[in-house]
Amino acid sequence: MKAIGGAAIASGGAVSAGMICGAGLFTGLVWLVLGATRTVNLATRLAAKPIVRGILLGLGLLFITRASR
């Protein structure tokens, strides 16, 4: 959800409120299914800390480049 919000802020208005709501609902449904089927354990093994940190670094750099404009 942080990435969805961050991308919406950094996009400069290119993302509508409906798109944000749809992305949030889809993300929630995916996590619900992953949790109910216990495949969330596989997802946590695949998304190692370096991958998550890389995504956050990329999002942070996107914020920096958009803020400097």
Side-chain angles (χ1 to χ4, degrees), residues 9-65:
I9 292 169
S11 69
V15 179
S16 69
M19 292 170 75
I20 295 169
C21 289
L25 286 172
F26 180 75
T27 303
L29 287 173
V30 166
W31 284 111
L32 180 68
V33 169
L34 288 176
T37 60
R38 300 196 191 278
T39 55
V40 72
N41 296 331
L42 176 64
T44 57
R45 277 184 284 181
L46 291 175
K49 284 186 181 181
I51 295 170
V52 174
R53 289 181 182 156
I55 292 169
L56 291 175
L57 176 65
L59 189 57
L61 291 173
L62 183 63
F63 282 150
I64 290 170
T65 58

